[in-house]
Amino acid sequence: MSRRLRFVSALIALLLIAAACGGDDETTETTEAPDDAGDTPAEVAQIDYWLWDDRQQPFYEQCEAEFEAMHPEIDVTISQFGWGDYWDGLTTAFATDTAPDVFTDHLARYPELVASGVLVPLNEFVERDGVDESIYFEGLADLWVDQDGNRYGFPKDWDTIAVAVNEQMMTEAGLSIDDFRNATWNPTDGGTFQELIAKLSVDANGNRGDSPDFDPNNVETYGFGLEGNFGAFGQTTFSAFANSLGFQFLDQNPWGTKANYDDDRLADTLAWFRSMIEAGYIAPLEDTQSLGGFTLFENGQVASMTNGSWMIASYSGLESIDTAWAPLPQGPEGRTSMFNGLADSITTSAENPDAAWEWVKFLASPECQNIVGEGAVVFPAIPEATATAQAAHEANGVDVSAFTVHVDEGTTFLFPITDSASQVESVIGPVMDAILLGQESDPRAALDAANEQVNAILGG
């Protein structure tokens, strides 16, 4: 079977966690430009670069201008797509060998792309140019090295999770942001965090969730909301809560061969979330799935929610809502957050891998990452550039310490990295939804059965 056919088969699995719309195919062309002497035509390498975040695009366009001034022999074209269109478009492009030269990659995706043979390992470039891999936050660069020691990207940013709170609703409930900063949580009685989201919940008659008259079937404002589906990995939802009990997704990360979805600590966490939905303190999963958690927050339907640092600018941009940020609540084994980061990868479709590498190398450099940091959209992977982002947020009047505290104190855990992420998602995602929707009467039994399927996939 050809590599192309093997890859098409693998991409069918990837579609399970990608959205349903497609992106445009790449077109590749080579133009001529005068050389420095002005008398001999020189070929200009055309590099197509894809990303999905429209908020970051202007700053990468600034990087592009800086890069092209340094490399007049290379012309970069940046294309931006929404998250769903992006991955579906890449799937199609890889299958037809029309992929962009360079694209923003995700830890949940790259191992399967490596297995499909569509990414270029960077080891020879790194060794040739003597690139310093130690300039990034500890551990980030290692995430992009596979089991065979091949590197497929350099980190461009990092993210953690925090609690967003509607300041007006918080004040009206007689609460302060310090209440959230000092919040505790456990799956038995919910700790002080449960008390806070109960206080923020208001029914149609104006009764708060801590009142005996509160009607959970007629809620006007939920105290807490979820961002998107729970899914298999729960980056912005359940992961930190379960991890604060000691839960780990895999027997080792990265490249674990045994999953732990049958861990009672995960079942207890999910049972608590479901009980809070039934109590009327957390918005129903159906509402989140139809509108999205951020929209519910924007509409005033939820008073607080957890979300990632990549969303800070979106919350700051809300005209009618002032948002305060607090770290995640303290669990029985501490306060933790999932730690994730993106990178840029070169595809085997690249007609000029050397030019593509020059662009990737620049994207991973302090020059570009400081430009991105000034945009106050994400935290770049290089500490000095993160300091630039922090200063930009401070200038905008936004306290981002709820996100950076986890890195400062070393209280993070890594996004689960496996070369079967889409298959794991296809098994676990529906089970998570069924538990939250109240369709599974016994969460433990459902998770036990699903975990057996995942272990068969992982080979554990």
Side-chain angles (χ1 to χ4, degrees):
M1 182 183 293
S2 69
R3 180 177 67 80
R4 175 76 52 77
L5 291 176
R6 290 197 301 270
F7 181 58
V8 170
S9 176
L11 287 174
I12 293 173
L14 275 174
L15 281 169
L16 293 171
I17 52 175
C21 301
D24 294 333
D25 286 344
E26 177 199 18
T27 57
T28 303
E29 61 179 298
T30 301
T31 60
E32 291 188 347
D35 64 6
D36 292 339
D39 54 4
T40 304
E43 288 190 347
V44 175
Q46 303 290 325
I47 300 299
D48 285 347
Y49 174 58
W50 285 17
L51 51 76
W52 66 74
D53 192 345
D54 61 330
R55 292 160 300 185
Q56 294 186 64
Q57 183 176 357
F59 309 108
Y60 280 106
E61 288 173 346
Q62 291 182 41
C63 289
E64 175 193 354
E66 293 274 350
F67 175 78
E68 291 177 346
M70 297 165 55
H71 296 276
E73 77 284 3
I74 303 174
D75 179 55
V76 177
T77 299
I78 297 177
S79 298
Q80 181 270 325
F81 305 91
W83 172 261
D85 291 353
Y86 184 85
W87 290 106
D88 192 55
L90 274 174
T91 298
T92 301
F94 278 131
T96 57
D97 200 25
T98 56
D101 302 279
V102 180
F103 71 102
T104 300
D105 208 346
H106 194 283
L107 286 172
R109 313 285 179 138
Y110 102 88
E112 293 181 60
L113 297 176
V114 169
S116 300
V118 296
L119 301 186
V120 175
L122 306 180
N123 301 52
E124 291 185 8
F125 294 117
V126 173
E127 184 177 352
R128 183 193 70 189
D129 294 354
V131 176
D132 185 359
E133 302 180 21
S134 68
I135 64 173
Y136 308 101
F137 280 99
E138 184 177 358
L140 278 183
D142 296 337
L143 297 176
W144 295 92
V145 177
D146 73 0
Q147 293 168 286
D148 297 323
N150 294 315
R151 173 172 296 285
Y152 291 94
F154 277 101
K156 59 198 289 113
D157 54 36
W158 60 267
D159 52 67
T160 52
I161 311 302
V163 181
V165 188
N166 182 310
E167 288 197 51
Q168 181 178 347
M169 291 181 177
M170 178 178 66
T171 301
E172 289 173 352
L175 303 172
S176 71
I177 194 60
D178 284 338
D179 293 321
F180 283 89
R181 289 171 177 158
N182 298 320
T184 61
W185 176 83
N186 68 77
T188 304
D189 61 19
T192 63
F193 186 73
Q194 180 171 321
E195 296 173 5
L196 294 174
I197 64 174
K199 189 77 172 176
L200 286 173
S201 302
V202 184
D203 69 16
N205 296 315
N207 300 306
R208 293 194 175 274
D210 58 351
S211 165
D213 297 324
F214 178 73
D215 183 0
N217 298 312
N218 194 18
V219 179
E220 188 170 284
T221 301
Y222 295 92
F224 189 70
L226 306 172
E227 177 51 41
N229 295 331
F230 252 44
F233 307 115
Q235 181 178 5
T236 61
T237 53
F238 71 86
S239 63
F241 290 86
N243 186 261
S244 75
L245 301 178
F247 167 77
Q248 299 290 335
F249 285 96
L250 303 169
D251 58 342
Q252 64 179 32
N253 193 23
W255 318 118
T257 58
K258 182 180 181 298
N260 297 316
Y261 287 101
D262 58 350
D263 190 324
D264 284 349
R265 291 169 291 191
L266 176 60
D268 290 342
T269 301
L270 299 180
W272 178 81
F273 273 97
R274 186 167 79 177
S275 71
M276 292 299 96
I277 292 174
E278 293 169 348
Y281 302 159
I282 295 181
L285 184 62
E286 300 96 318
D287 293 354
T288 299
Q289 290 176 332
S290 61
L291 295 175
F294 179 74
T295 298
L296 294 176
F297 186 90
E298 183 180 16
N299 294 343
Q301 293 170 263
V302 301
S304 68
M305 65 181 300
T306 46
N307 217 328
S309 51
W310 62 89
M311 289 291 292
I312 295 173
S314 296
Y315 284 87
S316 300
L318 295 175
E319 295 183 2
S320 59
I321 297 176
D322 291 327
T323 304
W325 294 99
L328 293 159
Q330 185 94 10
E333 294 197 13
R335 187 198 313 275
T336 65
S337 170
M338 185 176 282
F339 190 49
N340 188 29
L342 306 178
D344 295 299
S345 295
I346 299 174
T347 75
T348 53
S349 295
E351 293 191 357
N352 193 326
D354 286 291
W357 159 248
E358 291 299 328
W359 173 235
V360 166
K361 185 169 61 172
F362 185 74
L363 290 170
S365 71
E367 290 81 3
C368 179
Q369 294 204 8
N370 272 303
I371 291 173
V372 174
E374 290 171 358
V377 177
V378 294
F379 296 118
I382 298 173
E384 70 175 80
T386 279
T388 299
Q390 288 176 282
H393 281 298
E394 184 177 353
N396 293 336
V398 181
D399 180 359
V400 296
S401 59
F403 296 97
T404 59
V405 65
H406 291 290
V407 174
D408 294 339
E409 297 180 353
T411 56
T412 62
F413 59 97
L414 296 177
F415 189 100
I417 301 175
T418 167
D419 59 7
S420 305
S422 59
Q423 293 174 281
V424 173
E425 178 65 40
S426 68
V427 172
I428 297 295
V431 175
M432 294 291 190
D433 287 352
I435 292 172
L436 269 290
L437 292 169
Q439 297 169 351
E440 287 286 355
S441 59
D442 188 346
R444 281 180 173 78
L447 288 168
D448 286 351
N451 196 69
E452 289 185 11
Q453 296 181 58
V454 171
N455 282 340
I457 293 170
L458 297 177

